[in-house]
Amino acid sequence: MVLAKYPRVRLGHLPTPLEPMDRLSEILGGPRIWVKRDDCTGLSSGGNKTRKLEYLMADAQKQGADTIVTQGATQSNHARQTAAAAAKLGMACHILLEDRTGYNDPGYNLNGNVLLDRLHGATVSKRGDGTDMNAEMEALAEKLMSDGRRPYIIPGGGSNPIGALGYVNCARELAEQSVDMGLRIDALVHATGSSGTQAGLVAGLAALQSEIHLLGIGVRAPQEKQEQMVFDLAQRTADYLGTGLQIDRSSVRADCGYVGPGYGLPTEGMKNALRLLATTEGLLFDPVYSGKGLDGLIDLVQKGYFGDMENIVFLHTGGSAALFGYPDTFDLPGYTE
Ligand SMILES: *Cc1c(COP(=O)(O)O)cnc(C)c1O
């Protein structure tokens, strides 16, 4: 795999740790469960977008950009990490946030990732649910150009073949780690949304001829749509890599049974999973992505989905900064005035 030919700026603390979650594994009584700590990538409290931004921001620099334009949901982790990356590289950053939940809560609208976007110096503006966000980004880029700026548009979630290279790189990293640790990884599970993470992993694992069973847990789209998005981007990523690799459709698996009422809307399963991990492993997950991913992982372990597999890795994609946008979601005991 010839990743080295693509421009990359180092933004993350890589490789991220791969650690066992033995208290969780004991409670579930199934396979041993590990966590790949992509919540520890280091950039503005970490997360999976950092790996994508290493390639996207390098491309922006190559194009001579001085301003980044991107979009996401209100509590977008992608927006926060992009704002931080732009700050680190001395670029301006404009973020368009789509109101996908309709929450009026000031915590949701101003705290968590929104606070951090602004702290990193990004210019933030909101758009209503269902807005054509790509058209909005194009219009903003036009305006910036007429003001003499050189904008570079990063799609939502950083999900295009350039961004997905970050997860081709993660597949390589994980394969190396498993050799170094003498660990046979049977399955890899993570939350899948705009699809770049899973697409990069699918392409990367295929290039490595890895047998790891990869499963995305959906957070928004229904299964068919999610798998199609991942498959398309995985093939485009493989083409971009120039490997001549044909992606096997059956290597693209998404379980979209844990979305609940919709994107960014809490579920009981997410709340229970998040509290279980916080109280047994001392780890923080998020309500929108990794918490729903964990809910799926736990439920599937309990249902015997993994059969006689021995080692399952949960890719922790980050997002705990969004917890501060959901202050009243968890009915927490243990506080007295
Ligand atoms: C963006 C994000 C995901 C999903 O990754 P995609 O590449 O968009 O599919 C998962 N977890 C967290 C915390 C995220 O911010």
Side-chain angles (χ1 to χ4, degrees):
M1 210 179 344
V2 274
L3 265 180
K5 70 180 177 191
Y6 299 95
R8 172 181 176 198
V9 278
R10 301 285 174 146
L11 296 170
H13 297 173
L14 306 178
T16 57
L18 177 59
E19 301 167 338
M21 296 197 285
D22 284 339
R23 292 200 68 211
L24 176 69
S25 308
E26 199 181 309
I27 289 167
L28 297 181
R32 192 167 192 205
I33 304 181
W34 299 73
V35 57
K36 172 71 172 158
R37 300 290 307 271
D38 274 16
D39 59 318
C40 298
T41 52
L43 186 70
S44 181
S45 83
N48 63 337
K49 304 313 180 302
T50 302
R51 288 187 191 269
K52 301 178 181 183
L53 287 162
E54 291 199 321
Y55 292 93
L56 291 161
M57 296 303 276
D59 190 53
Q61 285 183 321
K62 201 176 96 185
Q63 315 271 333
D66 59 13
T67 305
I68 301 295
V69 174
T70 197
Q71 62 102 356
T74 304
Q75 283 294 333
S76 168
N77 302 298
H78 162 69
R80 181 239 318 151
Q81 288 161 88
T82 303
K88 186 172 169 68
L89 300 175
M91 296 185 196
C93 184
H94 288 255
I95 293 171
L96 301 179
L97 294 179
E98 180 186 3
D99 176 16
R100 289 188 205 156
T101 61
Y103 285 164
N104 294 320
D105 189 278
Y108 183 77
N109 287 297
L110 293 169
N111 204 340
N113 283 307
V114 185
L115 170 70
L116 301 183
D117 296 342
R118 297 170 66 204
L119 203 51
H120 288 303
T123 304
V124 177
S125 58
K126 294 285 295 260
R127 296 290 186 273
D129 187 23
T131 305
D132 181 344
M133 297 300 279
N134 290 329
E136 292 291 307
M137 288 199 294
E138 291 290 344
L140 176 57
E142 290 278 320
K143 178 167 185 314
L144 287 164
M145 264 188 291
S146 68
D147 294 344
R149 309 290 305 191
R150 292 189 303 279
Y152 181 90
I153 295 180
I154 295 182
S159 287
N160 62 15
I162 298 175
L165 292 181
Y167 274 87
V168 172
N169 188 38
C170 181
R172 182 203 52 75
E173 183 180 300
L174 198 60
E176 266 178 34
Q177 260 172 336
S178 77
V179 171
D180 290 348
M181 294 166 72
L183 174 73
R184 199 194 72 220
I185 299 171
D186 297 304
L188 177 60
V189 180
H190 67 93
T192 181
S194 68
S195 84
T197 301
Q198 191 172 359
L201 290 171
V202 166
L205 292 173
L208 294 163
Q209 297 181 304
S210 165
E211 307 257 285
I212 294 178
H213 179 98
L214 179 67
L215 176 68
I217 306 290
V219 299
R220 191 178 188 192
Q223 180 181 359
E224 203 176 315
K225 182 175 175 199
Q226 187 67 25
E227 289 186 349
Q228 197 57 44
M229 269 169 40
V230 173
F231 176 66
D232 288 346
L233 184 53
Q235 187 59 60
R236 287 197 290 136
T237 304
D239 294 345
Y240 186 67
L241 273 168
T243 49
L245 209 69
Q246 287 304 311
I247 299 299
D248 181 356
R249 177 63 182 78
S250 68
S251 70
V252 177
R253 304 172 198 92
D255 186 331
C256 299
Y258 302 91
V259 178
Y263 175 88
L265 303 177
T267 60
E268 285 307 308
M270 175 282 288
K271 290 190 226 177
N272 293 337
L274 210 139
R275 280 182 62 185
L276 180 65
L277 270 285
T279 53
T280 58
E281 294 287 346
L283 292 176
L284 296 177
F285 291 82
D286 81 282
V288 183
Y289 295 95
S290 58
K292 287 185 181 174
L294 260 183
D295 178 28
L297 172 77
I298 291 169
D299 189 52
L300 291 169
V301 167
Q302 287 170 337
K303 284 178 173 156
Y305 173 90
F306 297 102
D308 57 8
M309 292 186 195
E310 286 172 12
N311 293 294
I312 314 294
V313 175
F314 185 72
L315 172 68
H316 190 336
T317 44
S320 62
L323 282 171
F324 305 102
Y326 288 80
D328 302 321
T329 301
F330 303 92
D331 305 314
L332 301 176
Y335 178 80
T336 39
E337 286 283 352

